Amino acid sequence: MAVAVVAVVTLALPALLDDSALAVYILLGLAAMVTVGVSLLMGYAGQVSLGQGAFYGIGAYTAALLALGGVPPLAGLVAAPVVAAVSALVIGTPLLRLRGHHLAFATLAVQLILLSVAGQLEFTGGDIGLQGIPQFGVGSWEAGGAAAYAYLTWGGLALVMLVTRNVITSRPGRALRALATSETAAASSGIPVGRYKLVVFALSAAFAGLAGGIYCFYTGYVAPGSFPVLISIQYIVMAVVGGLGTIWGAVVGAAAITLLVQGLDGLATLPGMPSYAPTVLSYAVYALVLIGMVLFMPQGLVPALTRRRRRLNTRA
């Protein structure tokens, strides 16, 4: 019943929201798509990645370059997660030998390197980026408004959540849960730890690549500045706030942080605020949110609310 209500509300909102609210709705869905992958990667494989923004950018650039080259937009959108996943396989083969903060900083370095390279290459448009990206379409149909992209975004999110649920409930999903508990114990049980870590890393990158592909068609413009380091930190915060290792936690966390960011942007643009206010406020609030969650809700909002509901049902 709850899932049916959420589905109905999700389908109804694009017809009810104005353009500015629709933009937030689309960005929320794209963030949730990436955060589901982060939650899977951190909650089950126990790997911390500060470079999901890089795969988001790879997906966006892939779809944009193909569309500008005359390839049908649908083919570009399909290629975006594939290229992101292949890139993750190539990058992750050496990087996943690292653990903890070493891996986190290595993935962060990857994003910085990719952004720098994209800003220097001519075919990616350099620092100016790629402009005039065609609208997404299938055959004779073309997405002509924000509502169409909202349905596309949340359809993509539904697909990502379905794939993640099937992975978690499968035999590899049980192996991932063992991996998150103890790599040594998992390896002693015959689980190929390195292979599973690499596959989950590639799957989370594919989710980010799909979101990036939709993003490029929606905005019609991509540049290195579209994928700052802060966006990767934002995905980590979303996953932690919602609840690592939970599918709905990623969506709840993405919604909470996206709405919080919108409020901060409104505050930072008030008269008299300095130009650097949005960045400073974002980093400060992210730090406070993370500290608060670790102290008071270490497992995230969704697990905390679930436990509270169970207690109330038990008392009743």
Side-chain angles (χ1 to χ4, degrees):
M1 181 65 70
V3 173
V5 171
V6 171
V8 170
V9 172
T10 300
L11 293 174
L13 280 177
L16 302 175
L17 300 176
D18 57 23
D19 288 343
S20 61
L22 265 178
V24 176
Y25 189 59
I26 293 170
L27 294 177
L28 192 159
L30 295 176
M33 211 179 298
V34 183
T35 308
V36 169
V38 173
S39 182
L40 179 65
L41 181 64
M42 293 180 61
Y44 285 89
Q47 307 301 308
V48 180
S49 173
L50 291 177
Q52 291 303 105
F55 301 116
Y56 188 53
I58 288 173
Y61 271 104
T62 298
L65 288 169
L66 291 176
L68 290 171
V71 176
L74 180 59
L77 185 59
V78 172
V82 174
V83 173
V86 172
S87 301
L89 289 174
V90 174
I91 295 170
T93 300
L95 288 191
L96 290 179
R97 298 176 183 272
L98 303 173
R99 295 183 180 180
H101 64 276
H102 296 97
L103 176 61
F105 286 125
T107 55
L108 178 62
V110 167
Q111 181 171 352
L112 292 173
I113 292 170
L114 289 177
L115 290 177
S116 178
V117 170
Q120 299 296 323
L121 295 178
E122 183 178 351
F123 75 92
T124 60
D127 289 329
I128 298 175
L130 301 173
Q131 305 179 32
I133 300 170
Q135 295 286 327
F136 179 79
V138 179
S140 59
W141 176 82
E142 186 176 273
Y149 284 103
Y151 287 121
L152 177 64
T153 297
W154 286 83
L157 176 59
L159 175 63
V160 165
M161 294 173 70
L162 178 62
V163 171
T164 303
R165 181 182 180 278
N166 289 338
V167 169
I168 290 173
T169 56
S170 66
R171 182 176 180 181
R174 293 191 292 273
L176 286 176
R177 285 193 286 273
L179 176 61
T181 303
S182 171
E183 290 188 15
T184 303
S188 65
S189 301
I191 296 173
V193 173
R195 187 189 310 167
Y196 273 69
K197 287 164 62 175
L198 189 59
V199 169
V200 174
F201 189 63
L203 183 60
S204 67
F207 294 163
L210 177 60
I214 297 174
Y215 172 83
C216 88
F217 288 117
Y218 171 59
T219 60
Y221 168 78
V222 292
S226 304
F227 315 102
V229 173
L230 183 61
I231 198 171
S232 293
I233 298 174
Q234 189 179 95
Y235 297 141
I236 298 291
V237 175
M238 290 175 177
V240 172
V241 168
L244 291 174
T246 62
I247 300 175
W248 284 104
V251 180
V252 172
I257 298 301
T258 299
L259 296 177
L260 177 61
V261 168
Q262 293 301 313
L264 290 175
D265 288 343
L267 177 63
T269 54
L270 291 175
M273 297 293 286
S275 59
Y276 54 82
T279 303
V280 173
L281 282 176
S282 296
Y283 279 114
V285 170
Y286 289 160
L288 291 174
V289 168
L290 280 176
I291 292 172
M293 293 303 300
V294 170
L295 289 176
F296 302 108
M297 291 185 181
Q299 293 184 333
L301 286 172
V302 169
L305 293 175
T306 301
R307 287 198 308 272
R308 181 174 178 82
R309 186 187 64 183
R310 288 174 179 171
R311 290 197 197 101
L312 293 176
N313 290 339
T314 302
R315 292 174 183 175

